[in-house]
Amino acid sequence: MLYLLQQMFVDLKLVERFYIELPVLQSFLYQVHVSYNYTPYHNFRHCFCVTQMMYGLIWLCNIQDKLDDIEIFILLVSAICHDLDHPGYNNSYQVNAKTELALRYNDISPLENHHASVAFEILNSDSSNIIQNLSLEQHKTFRSGMIKCILATDMARHNEIVTAFNAISEDYDNNNADHRLLMMMIFLKVSDISNEARPMDVSEPWVECLLQEFFMQSDVEKLEGLPVAPFMDREKVTKPSAQVGFIKYVLIPLYESLASMFPEIRDPILAPVKRAFEYYSEMARKQDADKEAVKLQEEGRRISSSVEPTKDEERRVSVGEIAAT
């Protein structure tokens, strides 16, 4: 995976355009790798999947025609670094548990602020500083853009960002820096939650990983007396129930927003997401049918047991039958 990430920088000509030495790039990627934790979901494999999707979207949508080289650089590095040192417990837990991260960042996107901070700690080391040859102006643009893109991955801001993007999509002005930044945020958000755009045999195991991480958090929240989100509670959520709502109300509207500007994503990216929605909807229907069947079966047993004769009744019936013969 590290070699493939390196090749992405080469293919996009970022190595030559920003004078990145390969040993420095390799050191950067290694430091990123060891800075991801072994959580069920937010781990280095997730980082790679997000970056691979970003790389694919850059080529599929030919966004080099809309963004400057430095902005393409920002997108790729943001994808790589967007979940650095994720502890496996989300922002709600950080705030409710009053963790060090929540206190440090005043409850404002504590995880995303931390991911960006760790990224620049890595970039601040000479051995892994892939931005050391940027001009002062380029460095300012890179740092500002990368922080804003990573902060945009906080799902608490999802509706705000998608609504803002929809508002400018019809009158998009590529000369407007704010418009380009919104587009960059959307590309990173799409990449971050892109599992359902992949084949089902790839995407479904990731759902299991995410639910495992959710359940780990909710178990801890119950032990600590903290609020538990229903979608993270193992006693209330199932795989299809978690997916149907997420795909319908988050993924499809987000992907439709990007497709309004880049229709080329409809067949390879949006269509699989809609197929995933049908897949999990059918799974939910089957689960509901199975639950109803079990419920009816249990009710049948209960009714049957309530009308069964007692032993005394059975004895009286037997005596009566004998007397009648």
Side-chain angles (χ1 to χ4, degrees):
M1 287 190 287
L2 291 173
Y3 175 76
L4 292 174
L5 290 175
Q6 174 184 309
Q7 193 60 38
M8 293 177 197
F9 282 86
V10 174
D11 290 350
L12 292 169
K13 301 189 182 302
L14 300 175
V15 169
E16 62 180 83
R17 287 171 181 166
F18 297 106
Y19 307 103
I20 304 172
E21 298 176 8
L22 281 183
V24 174
L25 176 57
Q26 291 162 356
S27 176
F28 166 76
L29 293 173
Y30 176 76
Q31 291 303 319
V32 164
H33 174 257
V34 299
S35 295
Y36 274 90
N37 297 315
Y38 290 98
T39 59
Y41 183 87
H42 291 97
N43 50 46
F44 183 69
R45 288 180 180 273
H46 169 66
C47 151
F48 180 82
C49 288
V50 172
T51 309
Q52 184 270 340
M53 180 59 71
M54 177 63 77
Y55 172 80
L57 286 171
I58 289 172
W59 288 113
L60 176 64
C61 300
N62 196 26
I63 59 176
Q64 297 95 325
D65 287 348
K66 290 184 178 290
L67 299 179
D68 298 334
D69 291 342
I70 192 71
E71 292 168 325
I72 299 293
F73 195 16
I74 290 168
L75 280 178
L76 195 67
V77 179
S78 296
I80 291 172
C81 297
H82 81 284
D83 270 334
L84 277 171
D85 197 36
H86 197 297
Y89 297 86
N90 69 14
N91 280 331
S92 294
Y93 176 83
Q94 305 300 322
V95 172
N96 291 330
K98 300 179 176 63
T99 65
E100 180 184 346
L101 291 180
L103 295 175
R104 182 184 304 164
Y105 297 110
N106 300 311
D107 296 348
I108 301 171
S109 303
L111 286 180
E112 290 72 25
N113 273 295
H114 180 60
H115 304 325
S117 177
V118 173
F120 281 99
E121 287 178 11
I122 294 172
L123 290 168
N124 200 43
S125 172
D126 290 341
S127 63
S128 54
N129 187 358
I130 60 173
I131 60 173
Q132 59 188 329
N133 292 319
L134 298 184
S135 67
L136 288 177
E137 188 61 31
Q138 285 177 324
H139 188 282
K140 180 180 178 181
T141 299
F142 181 91
R143 177 168 166 78
S144 173
M146 182 166 156
I147 290 172
K148 289 174 181 176
C149 282
I150 291 178
L151 291 181
T153 62
D154 183 354
M155 289 303 293
R157 298 184 58 206
H158 179 79
N159 289 337
E160 165 205 339
I161 293 169
V162 174
T163 299
F165 181 73
N166 288 339
I168 62 100
S169 59
E170 289 188 6
D171 300 313
Y172 177 82
D173 180 4
N174 209 55
N175 295 317
N176 186 318
D178 291 335
H179 287 196
R180 294 202 311 276
L181 178 61
L182 266 175
M183 183 174 69
M184 292 166 67
M185 290 178 177
I186 292 294
F187 268 106
L188 184 56
K189 288 177 65 60
V190 166
S191 300
D192 187 21
I193 48 178
S194 60
N195 285 329
E196 278 63 42
R198 303 173 191 275
M200 193 57 64
D201 61 341
V202 175
S203 65
E204 192 167 6
W206 278 109
V207 179
E208 303 283 356
C209 292
L210 184 59
L211 287 176
Q212 182 183 350
E213 195 168 290
F214 282 174
F215 295 158
M216 287 172 57
Q217 174 177 319
S218 63
D219 289 346
V220 170
E221 288 170 330
K222 291 175 184 178
L223 288 172
E224 297 179 355
L226 298 174
V228 177
F231 70 88
M232 302 181 76
D233 191 336
R234 68 172 73 243
E235 298 175 1
K236 297 179 180 178
V237 71
T238 63
K239 180 164 63 175
S241 69
Q243 288 298 95
V244 168
F246 182 69
I247 295 173
K248 181 177 182 179
Y249 297 110
V250 177
L251 288 189
I252 291 178
L254 172 64
Y255 281 50
E256 289 279 12
S257 293
L258 186 61
S260 67
M261 186 177 294
F262 296 95
E264 52 266 51
I265 77 164
R266 289 193 176 276
D267 287 340
I269 306 295
L270 179 57
V273 172
K274 291 184 175 181
R275 287 196 294 271
F277 175 73
E278 293 302 325
Y279 173 80
Y280 287 110
S281 295
E282 179 60 24
M283 185 184 295
R285 285 191 288 270
K286 287 181 178 179
Q287 281 194 357
D288 290 342
D290 289 344
K291 286 181 182 178
E292 186 63 25
V294 170
K295 181 180 177 182
L296 291 173
Q297 191 176 41
E298 290 176 348
E299 288 180 354
R301 289 199 189 102
R302 180 174 55 79
I303 294 171
S304 176
S305 64
S306 68
V307 298
E308 286 181 359
T310 65
K311 289 183 178 180
D312 288 342
E313 290 172 333
E314 288 177 348
R315 193 176 298 113
R316 286 196 297 272
V317 170
S318 299
V319 171
E321 288 175 347
I322 292 171
T325 60

